[in-house]
Amino acid sequence: MRRILTLLLLAAACADARAQRLDPDDYVYPIRQESRLCSANFGELRPGHFHAGVDIKTDGVEGKPLVAVADGYVSRLSVAAGGYGRAIYLTLRNGTTAVYGHLQRFRDDIEEHVRKERLARRANGVNLWFEPGVWPVKQGDVIGYSGNSGSSGGPHLHFEIRDTPTQRLHNLVREGVIRPEDNLPPRIMRVHYVEIDTLDGVPVRSAPESYAVVRESEGHYRLTRNEPVEVGRKGYFIAEVTDRRNGVYNTFGVWRVTASIDGRPYFEYRMDGFTHDLSRCCDAVSCYPLQIASRNEAIRLAQLAGSPDTFYPVMEERGLVRTEAGEKRLLRIEAEDDSGNRSSLEFPIAGRAESFRAVPDPTATALFPGENTVVGVGPEARIRIQPGSLYEPLFVRPERLDMPQGSPGVVVLSPAYRFLEATTPLREPVLVTIRAQVPRQLRLRTVLAGRSRKGGLYHVGGTYSNGAVTAVTRTTGDLVVVADTLAPTIRPLFTEGEDLTKTATLRFHVGDNFSGITTWTLRIDGEWVPCDRFPMKGTLVHTFGTPATRRRHTAELTVRDGCGNAAHYKGSFIR
């Protein structure tokens, strides 16, 4: 009876999964162009998030017409300096939501509405929501034009389709909505093996053992070594993989990775879709210490305690491979892209006589994901870790380090403190407090900084109060108290008094040494006007909303960084 009930439940789950799949015939292509080439695919492993859509190339230019992929209405418009920049959201009649990111501009009537709202709110960035009857669209209607706004490294369209009730993101290539030309199988670049032991409920790992891989033929790989890979009694493998597509030089993520041992499947990772609350879990799907140093996807063929089950259709014993001393087994790894191309790697493994054994460290503190824990370094520094921040139990050895060297304009005010290794990913933020002696004149400019792998300092944030800096952050590694004393820079991209009657925009180049641009205010003839920031280009751009009158105008711009330092510009132009 139990077996019958289980089969019925599985059948219902499969039927529900099929019901949630998209019908490609419901949609037209979101952009009017011929090439239909992509530069990034769905679910790629990015720092701190899965890529939520597909990136469609626009031939290196802006201004390609974007069209409604199906009937519906404009439900949201967003203008921001980072993220998707100018973005438009269409709620569609078929129960999905289409998202278009990095636009140059919206279509004229929508752009004018957004301009009026920004003026009324005196806000450079806005989020506007609409009911169904305000901006209805028909399939094929132009809704805007492709661009390079927000956190975009070059002109392209970021495109998503979400299930409207749940906002679950769909894999558009796998479900046939976007069909790139692709007959190239993934590439298996490298394999690593990690042995694992447990101390007091905390997993302890050996250093990864790495093995080079060569391609024998299209889709078939082998190790460069002929002898079996020696493994311990308990461990797992990591596969570094990447993918290519026809007609482009970009690299892509893979859709699926599977592993079997002696012909029995024991692991499968698959990227069919996700909700935004699971996006950061890419740091658990990957082997994070390897991922942050690799140009490939370093996919752990095992499941961390905090990695969601939804990404693993097949998972036996959390992906651990158990091999007795002298035992010989055959391991097979397969990688598949979202167009159905596959590659495989097969090699023998043999159990070695000596297995890895973790050595207790009396100076280490055990942390567990479900606990609220405070760890300190002396009386001056502490970190509070809330439940859900960690993906797995771990040992930490908090320590005080030497005072790092600051860059020009950055005053270092404390030693560096290391609570968690830089190779430790966090799902939820932690609370860090570091006490330091800070001169009164620097206190409003004092924050926490992190130290990069190359030794440079970067802005983390936080505020100074009562002798300490406190920050809520997901930054791990070395943290230090600093003060940013240097104001941003402003350089107008026009000459004083220049005639701009034939120009549609007023442009400035802005920059900052450390904490980054956070706010900016532009006034023309004393009146506030909206201004777009393009952080990847380092520019601020105002688009004129009225015809030229060949009059002289004044422009006043104030820019502030993340520590409150301000820069001011005042000049004139003719328009």
Side-chain angles (χ1 to χ4, degrees), residues 86-119:
R86 258 180 167 73
I88 188 166
Y89 297 70
L90 304 184
T91 297
L92 307 176
R93 290 183 182 176
N94 60 18
T96 63
T97 297
V99 181
Y100 305 68
H102 307 307
L103 274 65
Q104 179 193 65
R105 66 187 192 281
F106 306 114
R107 76 182 190 203
D108 290 348
D109 56 342
I110 297 176
E111 185 70 34
E112 178 61 18
H113 178 81
V114 171
R115 188 185 72 84
K116 289 179 179 178
E117 286 290 333
R118 295 171 78 187
L119 282 168

Coordinates of all heavy atoms in Angstrom, one line a residue, residues 86-119:
R86 N 17.4 50.4 -16.3 CA 16.1 50.6 -16.7 C 15.5 49.2 -17.1 O 16.0 48.5 -17.9 CB 16.0 51.5 -18.0 CG 15.7 52.9 -17.8 CD 15.7 53.7 -19.1 NE 15.1 55.0 -19.0 CZ 15.6 56.0 -18.4 NH1 16.8 55.9 -17.8 NH2 14.9 57.1 -18.3
A87 N 14.4 48.9 -16.4 CA 13.8 47.6 -16.6 C 12.2 47.7 -16.7 O 11.6 48.6 -16.1 CB 14.1 46.6 -15.4
I88 N 11.7 46.8 -17.5 CA 10.2 46.8 -17.7 C 9.7 45.4 -17.4 O 10.3 44.4 -17.8 CB 9.8 47.3 -19.1 CG1 8.3 47.5 -19.2 CG2 10.4 46.4 -20.2 CD1 7.9 48.3 -20.4
Y89 N 8.6 45.3 -16.7 CA 8.0 44.0 -16.3 C 6.6 43.9 -16.9 O 5.8 44.8 -16.7 CB 7.9 43.9 -14.8 CG 9.2 43.9 -14.0 CD1 9.9 45.1 -14.0 CD2 9.7 42.8 -13.4 CE1 11.2 45.1 -13.3 CE2 10.9 42.8 -12.7 CZ 11.6 44.0 -12.6 OH 12.8 44.0 -12.0
L90 N 6.3 42.9 -17.7 CA 5.0 42.7 -18.3 C 4.4 41.5 -17.6 O 4.9 40.4 -17.6 CB 5.2 42.3 -19.8 CG 5.9 43.4 -20.7 CD1 5.8 42.9 -22.1 CD2 5.3 44.7 -20.5
T91 N 3.2 41.7 -17.0 CA 2.4 40.6 -16.5 C 1.5 40.1 -17.7 O 0.7 40.9 -18.3 CB 1.5 41.0 -15.4 OG1 2.3 41.4 -14.3 CG2 0.6 39.9 -14.9
L92 N 1.7 38.8 -18.1 CA 1.1 38.3 -19.3 C -0.2 37.5 -18.9 O -0.3 36.9 -17.8 CB 2.1 37.4 -20.0 CG 3.4 38.1 -20.3 CD1 4.4 37.1 -21.0 CD2 3.2 39.3 -21.2
R93 N -1.1 37.4 -19.9 CA -2.3 36.7 -19.7 C -2.2 35.2 -19.5 O -3.1 34.5 -18.9 CB -3.2 36.9 -20.9 CG -3.8 38.4 -21.0 CD -4.7 38.5 -22.2 NE -5.2 39.8 -22.4 CZ -6.0 40.2 -23.4 NH1 -6.3 39.3 -24.3 NH2 -6.4 41.5 -23.5
N94 N -1.0 34.6 -19.9 CA -0.8 33.2 -19.8 C -0.3 32.8 -18.4 O 0.1 31.6 -18.2 CB 0.1 32.7 -20.9 CG 1.5 33.3 -20.8 OD1 1.9 33.9 -19.8 ND2 2.2 33.2 -22.0
G95 N -0.3 33.7 -17.4 CA 0.2 33.4 -16.1 C 1.6 33.6 -15.8 O 2.1 33.2 -14.7
T96 N 2.4 34.2 -16.7 CA 3.8 34.4 -16.5 C 4.1 35.9 -16.5 O 3.3 36.8 -17.0 CB 4.6 33.7 -17.6 OG1 4.3 34.3 -18.9 CG2 4.4 32.2 -17.5
T97 N 5.3 36.3 -16.1 CA 5.8 37.7 -16.1 C 7.0 37.7 -16.9 O 8.0 36.9 -16.7 CB 6.0 38.2 -14.7 OG1 4.8 38.2 -14.0 CG2 6.6 39.6 -14.7
A98 N 7.1 38.6 -17.9 CA 8.3 38.8 -18.7 C 9.1 40.0 -18.1 O 8.5 41.1 -17.9 CB 8.0 39.0 -20.1
V99 N 10.4 39.9 -18.0 CA 11.3 40.9 -17.5 C 12.3 41.3 -18.5 O 13.0 40.4 -19.0 CB 12.0 40.5 -16.1 CG1 12.8 41.6 -15.6 CG2 10.9 40.0 -15.1
Y100 N 12.5 42.6 -18.8 CA 13.5 43.1 -19.7 C 14.4 44.0 -19.0 O 13.9 45.0 -18.4 CB 12.8 43.9 -20.9 CG 11.7 43.1 -21.7 CD1 10.5 42.8 -21.1 CD2 11.9 42.8 -23.0 CE1 9.5 42.2 -21.8 CE2 10.9 42.2 -23.7 CZ 9.7 41.9 -23.1 OH 8.7 41.2 -23.8
G101 N 15.7 43.8 -19.0 CA 16.6 44.6 -18.2 C 17.7 45.3 -19.1 O 18.0 44.9 -20.2
H102 N 18.3 46.3 -18.5 CA 19.4 47.1 -19.1 C 18.9 47.9 -20.3 O 19.7 48.2 -21.3 CB 20.5 46.2 -19.5 CG 21.0 45.3 -18.4 ND1 21.4 45.8 -17.2 CD2 21.2 44.0 -18.4 CE1 21.8 44.8 -16.4 NE2 21.7 43.7 -17.1
L103 N 17.7 48.4 -20.3 CA 17.1 49.2 -21.4 C 17.9 50.5 -21.6 O 18.3 51.1 -20.6 CB 15.6 49.5 -21.2 CG 14.7 48.4 -21.8 CD1 14.8 47.1 -20.9 CD2 13.2 48.9 -21.7
Q104 N 17.9 51.0 -22.8 CA 18.3 52.4 -23.0 C 17.2 53.4 -22.7 O 17.5 54.4 -22.0 CB 18.7 52.5 -24.5 CG 19.2 53.9 -25.0 CD 19.2 54.1 -26.5 OE1 18.1 54.0 -27.1 NE2 20.4 54.2 -27.0
R105 N 16.0 53.1 -23.1 CA 14.9 53.9 -22.8 C 13.6 53.1 -23.0 O 13.6 52.1 -23.7 CB 14.8 55.2 -23.6 CG 14.6 54.9 -25.1 CD 14.8 56.2 -25.9 NE 14.3 56.1 -27.3 CZ 15.0 55.5 -28.3 NH1 16.2 55.0 -28.1 NH2 14.5 55.4 -29.5
F106 N 12.5 53.5 -22.4 CA 11.2 53.0 -22.6 C 10.6 53.6 -23.9 O 11.2 54.6 -24.4 CB 10.3 53.2 -21.5 CG 10.9 52.7 -20.1 CD1 11.2 53.7 -19.1 CD2 11.1 51.4 -19.9 CE1 11.7 53.2 -17.9 CE2 11.6 51.0 -18.7 CZ 11.9 51.9 -17.7
R107 N 9.5 53.1 -24.4 CA 8.9 53.7 -25.6 C 8.4 55.1 -25.1 O 8.3 55.4 -23.9 CB 7.8 52.9 -26.1 CG 6.5 52.9 -25.3 CD 5.5 52.0 -25.9 NE 4.2 52.2 -25.2 CZ 3.2 51.3 -25.2 NH1 3.3 50.1 -25.8 NH2 2.1 51.6 -24.6
D108 N 8.2 56.0 -26.1 CA 8.1 57.4 -25.8 C 7.0 57.8 -24.7 O 7.3 58.6 -23.8 CB 7.8 58.2 -27.1 CG 8.9 58.2 -28.0 OD1 10.1 57.8 -27.6 OD2 8.8 58.6 -29.2
D109 N 5.8 57.2 -24.8 CA 4.8 57.6 -23.9 C 5.1 57.1 -22.5 O 4.9 57.8 -21.5 CB 3.4 57.0 -24.3 CG 3.4 55.5 -24.6 OD1 4.4 54.9 -24.7 OD2 2.3 55.0 -24.6
I110 N 5.7 55.9 -22.4 CA 6.1 55.4 -21.1 C 7.3 56.1 -20.5 O 7.3 56.5 -19.3 CB 6.4 53.9 -21.2 CG1 5.2 53.1 -21.6 CG2 7.0 53.3 -19.9 CD1 5.5 51.6 -21.8
E111 N 8.2 56.5 -21.4 CA 9.4 57.3 -20.9 C 9.0 58.6 -20.4 O 9.5 59.1 -19.4 CB 10.3 57.4 -22.1 CG 11.7 58.1 -21.7 CD 12.6 57.3 -20.9 OE1 12.6 56.1 -21.0 OE2 13.3 57.9 -20.0
E112 N 8.0 59.2 -21.1 CA 7.5 60.6 -20.6 C 6.8 60.4 -19.2 O 7.0 61.3 -18.4 CB 6.5 61.2 -21.6 CG 5.9 62.5 -21.2 CD 7.0 63.6 -21.0 OE1 8.1 63.5 -21.5 OE2 6.6 64.6 -20.4
H113 N 6.1 59.4 -19.0 CA 5.4 59.1 -17.7 C 6.5 59.0 -16.6 O 6.3 59.5 -15.5 CB 4.5 57.9 -17.8 CG 3.8 57.6 -16.5 ND1 2.7 58.2 -16.1 CD2 4.2 56.7 -15.5 CE1 2.4 57.7 -14.9 NE2 3.3 56.8 -14.5
V114 N 7.5 58.2 -16.9 CA 8.6 57.9 -15.9 C 9.3 59.3 -15.6 O 9.6 59.5 -14.5 CB 9.5 56.9 -16.4 CG1 10.8 56.8 -15.5 CG2 8.9 55.5 -16.6
R115 N 9.5 60.1 -16.6 CA 10.2 61.4 -16.4 C 9.4 62.2 -15.5 O 9.9 62.9 -14.5 CB 10.4 62.1 -17.7 CG 11.3 63.3 -17.6 CD 11.4 64.1 -19.0 NE 10.1 64.7 -19.3 CZ 9.7 65.9 -18.8 NH1 10.6 66.6 -18.0 NH2 8.6 66.5 -19.1
K116 N 8.1 62.3 -15.7 CA 7.2 63.1 -14.8 C 7.2 62.6 -13.4 O 7.2 63.4 -12.4 CB 5.8 63.1 -15.4 CG 5.6 63.9 -16.7 CD 4.2 63.9 -17.2 CE 4.1 64.7 -18.5 NZ 2.7 64.7 -19.1
E117 N 7.2 61.3 -13.2 CA 7.2 60.7 -11.9 C 8.5 61.0 -11.2 O 8.5 61.3 -10.0 CB 7.0 59.2 -12.0 CG 5.6 58.8 -12.3 CD 4.6 59.1 -11.2 OE1 5.0 59.1 -10.0 OE2 3.4 59.3 -11.4
R118 N 9.6 60.9 -11.9 CA 10.9 61.2 -11.3 C 11.0 62.7 -10.9 O 11.5 63.0 -9.8 CB 12.0 60.9 -12.3 CG 12.2 59.4 -12.6 CD 13.1 59.2 -13.7 NE 14.5 59.2 -13.2 CZ 15.6 59.2 -14.0 NH1 15.4 59.1 -15.4 NH2 16.8 59.2 -13.5
L119 N 10.4 63.6 -11.7 CA 10.4 65.0 -11.4 C 9.5 65.3 -10.2 O 9.9 66.0 -9.2 CB 9.9 65.8 -12.6 CG 10.9 66.1 -13.7 CD1 10.2 66.6 -14.9 CD2 12.0 67.1 -13.2

